[in-house]
Amino acid sequence: MDYLKGLNEPQYEAVTTLHGPLMVLAGAGSGKTRVLTMRIAHLITNGIDPFNILALTFTNKAAKEMKLRIAKVVGEGNAKSLWMGTFHSVFARILRSEAHYLGFPSNFTIYDTQDSLNVLKKVLKDLNIDQELYKPKKVQARISSYKNNLITVRAYQNNPELIEADERANMKYIGKIYEKYVEQCFRNGAMDFDDLLLRTNELLTRFPEVLARYQDRFRYILVDEYQDTNHSQYLIVKALSSKFENICVVGDDAQSIYSFRGANIYNILNFKKDYPDAKTVSLEQNYRSTQNIVNAANVVIARNKEQFKKNVFSDNEVGDKIKVFRALSDADEANFVANNIWEQHNANQRKFTDFAILYRTNSQTRAFEDALRRKNIPYRVYGGLSFYQRKEIKDLVAYLRLLVNENDSEALLRVINYPTRGIGETTQNKLIVFADSQNVSLANVLDNLGIYAPHLGFNNGVISKLADFWSMIKAFQVMLKTENVYTVAMEVAQRSGLIKFLKDDQTPEGISRVENVQELMNSMQGFIEEQQQLEDGDPSLSSFLENIALSTDQDKKSENEDQVSLMTIHLSKGLEFPVVHLVGLEENLFPSFMSSSTREELEEERRLFYVALTRAEKQVFFSYAVSRFQWGKITDAEPSRFLSEVDEEYIEFLNPVVESRFVNKSGLSSDIFGDNFSEPRFFKKAEKKKLPSSDEPKPLPKNLKPVASAKIINPSGNSSQDIEVGDRVRHDRFGVGEVVFLDGTDPENIKAKVKFVTEGEKNLILKFAKLTKI
DNA sequence: CGCGAAGCTTTTCGA
DNA sequence: AAGCTTCGCG
């Protein structure tokens, strides 16, 4: 039992407590993954059949990795029958084999958010509902939250309170829309993400024999990231574990960041109420980060009301202080980060993989990509518009979905006239109306075109176009029976005209679309080969489609490449990096303007900040910009309140503290570089110095009103007289250099080209550059 | 019916 | 800025 060596006391306890309910509160960096893997290994070495173990993880990648680590301890043969994966993938598989109970085909389609939105829009159109009043996205969110809380259509209709609430919100047709949407999905033989959980609940409650079967199979259940489970997931776990009660949940309430998709922090906060006999183990020693980082994170998270008492600590070195950089713009911020990474890469011999750039929103990515590319720094962006969400990929995938499940009308309508083949909107609408009136699927109408044609009022041209399209699909289906999936997909891409259509577009975007399709084909081939090698692999098309529907970007993280990682904070959960750049620390961005109105929302944003901070092992850089190009225009920004929540003792400012706190916002274009929200307002140290008389609580950044004139923006800045071409100057950040060029006559706006020894040439606006003559 | 231009809206996080 | 919808013409 070598694997038990080196565990600390609580870790040991968590690993060796095999029976009964157990809650492991694992602080950030406390060796949670290790405990989980060792615990499973320990179960197996103690004679528990791996077949009886179910482990639910947050990403499929985490599952894969943990399985590998377990295999190292107990041997591959033993680890194989272990069931490990995300809620969605595990229960999608179970639903496939039990689909007949629910009246679904076993090859049901899985709709992603976009697909489901498309279906919803069609429903709204069908019902003649004004999409201005019923914004599809809002409706979708509402339905999603019903599903996550197990409010089925029937439950909704029997609940006057809900109906009333929707009426008050001027959404009295929600119930009707909900009903239609569910009907449509059912008819399409499709489940959305929420259905995968909701239908599992339905399966387990309506069919006790099924529940008994899975209860008996999954005698030991482990749930990772329990703080981010929603009610639906909670009920599944509860139902499955209620017979043996060998349930181990692992989580950290301080890292609950998914309430927007229904995660319920009370699942973990109330675990003890659900299982009064539950044992609790707290892992409090952080092995990941320096003391400075851990302490800073603790101070911030302590502001949240709702939480377990924990004392996370680190025995590592004290470490560097967190460095804070104030940038002039988003581009400036990105340059700072890129420079910093470049310097550290050279000076400290850090690999690029050691760095992560974490941000709140995906739209922040671009500036960093530009800056990194300019410096030739290799990077990889995770998340964002994921590969499988690209239009060209979705189009090809829609064809494939249609082959597997021809009732999937969403897929059918997506491809019936793409590439265009003369089956326009009018024709499509006639088809839809007719199919509805006969209560059959679109596929059924196309199957029996000969019989239905007289009732459809199509001319011969349209009929033959429809027949051609459908016989093409049928031919693909026949091919699928004998040929390998890759071959069929290739045939689809070519015969449908998709490839040709894409190739006709020779713009850079068009070329990249063709490449993307190629990449999809490659990944398909890879998938098939991999599945063929696995003993229990499934190289079928529907298996491939399920795989991509549930794949996360993290899942395909490429190893062995020395690249800087760019991702949202949400995606970074569970990862760690030696150096973390947490960027865009501005009010309305982080915390997000969408989540700043209630205490609960703000606390979740704060937990997000905590997650970001605790990703770092050695060093953290905070940065924010005072102006940012956003939504098509330049917007002023104010430092995030979270900056002021970190005690000054853990922080070091890279920019000099600026004398003036004020700037004139009226008139001058240079206002965007204003220092009006510089540190003195927000940090105790500076405040004590500059505002000795002020005992008032710090104002929220929102309320700040800039006053005074632009003249005193930067007393330490340079006027035109000070600096001349040929002068040797020092810059706080770029070091020593020589002025090679001056440009402009307006003293407010003189630009200086300075050649720095280490940094090369920079174009600076003299007024702000704070150059010192030497 | 198909295409492109014009106009309009909408901005978080993601299985 | 980007995505989506609408509109008008060939």
Side-chain angles (χ1 to χ4, degrees):
Chain A
M1 304 222 184
D2 277 351
Y3 56 87
L4 292 180
K5 282 185 194 145
L7 295 175
N8 69 25
E9 203 179 309
Q11 284 176 337
Y12 182 88
E13 188 154 5
V15 168
T16 54
T17 304
L18 298 183
H19 302 279
L22 169 70
M23 172 164 68
V24 180
L25 293 175
S30 61
K32 182 191 68 174
T33 310
R34 183 155 178 230
V35 165
L36 262 174
T37 49
M38 292 311 128
R39 189 169 191 279
I40 294 171
H42 199 56
L43 280 168
I44 296 172
T45 31
N46 276 271
I48 313 288
D49 188 340
F51 183 79
N52 291 132
I53 302 174
L54 171 66
L56 296 163
T57 57
F58 199 68
T59 63
N60 288 314
K61 176 168 185 265
K64 240 186 216 169
E65 280 178 4
M66 282 165 72
K67 226 169 160 171
L68 276 175
R69 284 169 72 169
I70 293 165
K72 275 192 188 149
V73 180
V74 299
E76 238 172 83
N78 265 327
K80 215 161 54 190
S81 52
L82 185 66
W83 210 346
M84 229 172 168
T86 62
F87 272 91
H88 287 86
S89 63
V90 166
F91 295 113
R93 260 178 81 182
I94 291 183
L95 282 169
R96 285 214 191 279
S97 54
E98 315 292 344
H100 55 280
Y101 281 99
L102 301 171
F104 273 83
S106 70
N107 59 5
F108 64 83
T109 308
I110 297 172
Y111 282 161
D112 67 16
T113 320
Q114 186 59 52
D115 302 326
S116 110
L117 195 68
N118 288 343
V119 173
L120 204 52
K121 280 181 186 165
K122 292 240 162 57
V123 167
L124 290 169
K125 217 162 133 193
D126 259 15
L127 291 171
N128 248 326
I129 286 174
D130 184 356
Q131 305 204 8
E132 282 304 302
L133 299 172
Y134 289 76
K135 296 265 165 71
K137 282 204 173 134
K138 279 220 175 92
V139 177
Q140 188 183 36
R142 233 167 162 101
I143 290 177
S144 171
S145 99
Y146 291 146
K147 286 186 175 180
N148 284 331
N149 289 298
L150 245 68
I151 299 164
T152 59
V153 172
R154 181 176 296 184
Y156 177 89
Q157 288 165 345
N158 291 332
N159 189 330
E161 269 176 54
L162 287 173
I163 295 173
E164 229 172 83
D166 275 336
E167 273 173 9
R168 268 199 307 276
N170 264 333
M171 304 274 259
K172 65 173 178 176
Y173 293 122
I174 287 277
K176 190 76 205 151
I177 300 167
Y178 186 16
E179 183 182 5
K180 271 274 183 193
Y181 170 74
V182 171
E183 235 175 70
Q184 188 63 57
C185 287
F186 184 76
R187 231 196 287 177
N188 289 358
M191 297 198 196
D192 62 24
F193 287 139
D194 303 321
D195 285 332
L196 294 178
L197 307 172
L198 178 65
R199 296 285 185 184
T200 300
N201 269 303
E202 185 187 345
L203 180 72
L204 298 181
T205 35
R206 272 180 56 198
F207 305 98
E209 73 274 18
V210 179
L211 174 63
R213 194 148 33 91
Y214 285 102
Q215 278 179 335
D216 208 50
R217 160 147 195 195
F218 300 130
R219 295 173 181 223
Y220 293 84
I221 299 177
L222 297 91
V223 187
D224 193 8
E225 307 284 6
Y226 192 64
Q227 78 280 356
D228 279 327
T229 52
N230 64 32
H231 188 60
S232 199
Q233 291 166 322
Y234 162 83
L235 289 175
I236 294 171
V237 171
K238 195 158 187 208
L240 288 177
S241 65
S242 65
K243 185 167 172 198
F244 291 101
E245 291 213 341
N246 292 320
I247 164 91
C248 167
V249 303
V250 182
D252 179 5
D253 56 303
Q255 295 185 60
S256 167
I257 54 175
Y258 278 99
S259 73
F260 71 92
R261 64 178 206 219
N264 185 353
I265 193 171
Y266 290 99
N267 289 344
I268 194 163
L269 293 175
N270 290 338
F271 188 78
K272 275 248 157 182
K273 281 188 194 148
D274 285 330
Y275 302 92
D277 303 334
K279 190 164 168 179
T280 307
V281 174
S282 294
L283 308 178
E284 298 186 322
Q285 177 163 3
N286 177 311
Y287 294 96
R288 177 186 297 150
S289 316
T290 63
Q291 290 188 28
N292 249 318
I293 293 170
V294 170
N295 292 341
N298 283 345
V299 176
V300 174
I301 202 66
R303 290 175 177 255
N304 278 4
K305 260 170 87 178
E306 215 73 73
Q307 59 178 322
F308 288 122
K309 278 275 164 286
K310 263 194 308 289
N311 175 32
V312 179
F313 66 97
S314 166
D315 269 352
N316 298 342
E317 55 180 338
V318 175
D320 291 350
K321 293 194 175 186
I322 298 169
K323 307 247 184 359
V324 181
F325 180 74
R326 182 192 66 244
L328 302 181
S329 64
D330 44 352
D332 187 33
E333 179 183 43
N335 281 330
F336 161 72
V337 171
N339 279 335
N340 197 0
I341 291 175
W342 183 245
E343 269 171 32
Q344 289 210 55
H345 175 79
N346 293 341
N348 305 349
Q349 294 180 314
R350 280 206 190 283
K351 290 178 292 181
F352 288 125
T353 39
D354 290 347
F355 298 91
I357 303 174
L358 305 182
Y359 36 78
R360 179 65 176 82
T361 69
N362 281 306
S363 59
Q364 288 165 259
T365 324
R366 174 164 291 183
F368 294 98
E369 284 193 78
D370 287 347
L372 292 169
R373 218 179 295 127
R374 266 201 302 275
K375 283 215 163 297
N376 266 326
I377 297 174
Y379 65 89
R380 157 103 207 258
V381 178
Y382 295 87
L385 186 64
S386 99
F387 181 73
Y388 297 112
Q389 290 171 296
R390 288 164 204 250
K391 184 180 179 311
E392 64 273 22
I393 300 301
K394 291 216 74 157
D395 288 332
L396 179 52
V397 167
Y399 274 101
L400 303 177
R401 272 164 50 190
L402 189 57
L403 303 191
V404 171
N405 170 15
E406 63 177 30
N407 287 325
D408 183 353
S409 68
E410 204 275 323
L412 193 151
L413 291 171
R414 190 173 178 113
V415 300
I416 192 168
N417 197 33
Y418 183 84
T420 47
R421 46 175 76 86
I423 306 175
E425 210 189 311
T426 330
T427 307
Q428 291 180 33
N429 281 337
K430 278 186 194 163
L431 277 175
I432 294 170
V433 170
F434 182 75
D436 259 6
S437 72
Q438 303 297 306
N439 209 11
V440 295
S441 68
L442 290 172
N444 185 289
V445 178
L446 292 171
D447 271 339
N448 301 293
L449 205 55
I451 304 168
Y452 292 135
H455 310 279
L456 281 158
F458 291 147
N459 64 38
N460 284 338
V462 170
I463 290 176
S464 81
K465 282 173 189 163
L466 286 172
D468 284 352
F469 167 71
W470 199 236
S471 68
M472 174 177 76
I473 297 295
K474 289 286 165 181
F476 293 152
Q477 285 177 337
V478 170
M479 211 180 148
L480 194 58
K481 287 188 181 134
T482 53
E483 302 291 326
N484 142 324
V485 175
Y486 178 83
T487 317
V488 177
M490 214 50 174
E491 181 77 4
V492 170
Q494 274 160 7
R495 261 195 65 196
S496 68
L498 205 80
I499 285 283
K500 185 179 177 308
F501 184 83
L502 292 174
K503 277 193 173 157
D504 281 348
D505 180 1
Q506 279 298 320
T507 60
E509 296 83 23
I511 291 166
S512 106
R513 277 192 282 269
V514 174
E515 287 168 0
N516 286 337
V517 169
Q518 192 55 55
E519 199 182 321
L520 177 74
M521 301 301 299
N522 292 344
S523 83
M524 181 184 281
Q525 196 159 33
F527 177 83
I528 294 166
E529 278 166 16
E530 189 186 306
Q531 292 296 311
Q532 280 166 344
Q533 283 163 22
L534 293 171
E535 203 181 294
D536 56 346
D538 176 2
S540 71
L541 181 54
S542 67
S543 151
F544 175 74
L545 292 176
E546 175 173 320
N547 183 267
I548 64 178
L550 298 176
S551 94
T552 57
D553 242 50
Q554 251 193 35
D555 294 342
K556 29 176 197 127
K557 175 169 180 163
S558 59
E559 290 95 26
N560 311 331
E561 282 190 69
D562 192 23
Q563 298 170 315
V564 174
S565 298
L566 278 73
M567 65 184 86
T568 61
I569 303 165
H570 282 90
L571 269 187
S572 77
K573 191 168 77 160
L575 305 178
E576 55 187 18
F577 303 89
V579 186
V580 165
H581 278 276
L582 178 54
V583 302
L585 282 170
E586 293 141 40
E587 282 296 301
N588 296 324
L589 183 58
F590 189 22
S592 161
F593 66 102
M594 297 289 286
S595 319
S596 304
S597 47
T598 67
R599 180 179 62 83
E600 285 78 10
E601 284 174 346
L602 265 170
E603 292 205 348
E604 176 147 326
E605 294 286 305
R606 191 173 284 115
R607 289 192 294 269
L608 198 52
F609 184 78
Y610 178 82
V611 168
L613 195 41
T614 53
R615 295 313 91 202
E617 293 167 3
K618 303 283 184 201
Q619 278 187 299
V620 177
F621 292 84
F622 288 159
S623 55
Y624 63 93
V626 295
S627 87
R628 176 172 293 280
F629 197 72
Q630 214 174 8
W631 304 332
K633 58 173 195 266
I634 293 173
T635 342
D636 284 354
E638 310 161 8
S640 167
R641 69 191 74 192
F642 296 143
L643 276 172
S644 61
E645 292 181 3
V646 182
D647 273 15
E648 55 168 287
E649 60 176 299
Y650 308 120
I651 283 194
E652 180 187 327
F653 298 102
L654 292 178
N655 309 67
V657 173
V658 185
E659 298 287 322
S660 170
R661 310 181 298 281
F662 308 114
V663 70
N664 185 349
K665 264 197 182 174
S666 59
L668 293 171
S669 64
S670 51
D671 278 354
I672 57 166
F673 298 119
D675 279 322
N676 50 329
F677 298 115
S678 58
E679 294 83 357
R681 282 248 140 166
F682 298 99
F683 300 102
K684 291 174 212 150
K685 188 187 209 167
E687 234 173 31
K688 272 180 232 149
K689 235 191 238 163
K690 312 287 178 203
L691 305 166
S693 62
S694 169
D695 284 311
E696 297 166 62
K698 276 169 280 181
L700 281 182
K702 275 182 178 170
N703 304 332
L704 289 183
K705 289 272 187 301
V707 285
S709 95
K711 287 274 175 339
I712 57 166
I713 285 179
N714 184 359
S716 59
N718 313 94
S719 71
S720 49
Q721 296 94 324
D722 294 332
I723 303 260
E724 289 172 35
V725 173
D727 283 349
R728 280 178 60 76
V729 293
R730 185 193 305 280
H731 183 273
D732 295 316
R733 202 146 55 77
F734 303 138
V736 176
E738 183 185 339
V739 179
V740 292
F741 189 64
L742 286 173
D743 182 27
T745 46
D746 176 4
E748 291 293 306
N749 202 18
I750 292 180
K751 295 185 185 98
K753 185 180 269 185
V754 183
K755 192 169 180 182
F756 290 101
V757 178
T758 51
E759 290 288 328
E761 282 187 4
K762 301 273 169 199
N763 287 308
L764 305 166
I765 294 178
L766 206 51
K767 189 170 79 165
F768 301 109
K770 301 180 201 92
L771 296 172
T772 328
K773 224 157 133 176
I774 50 176

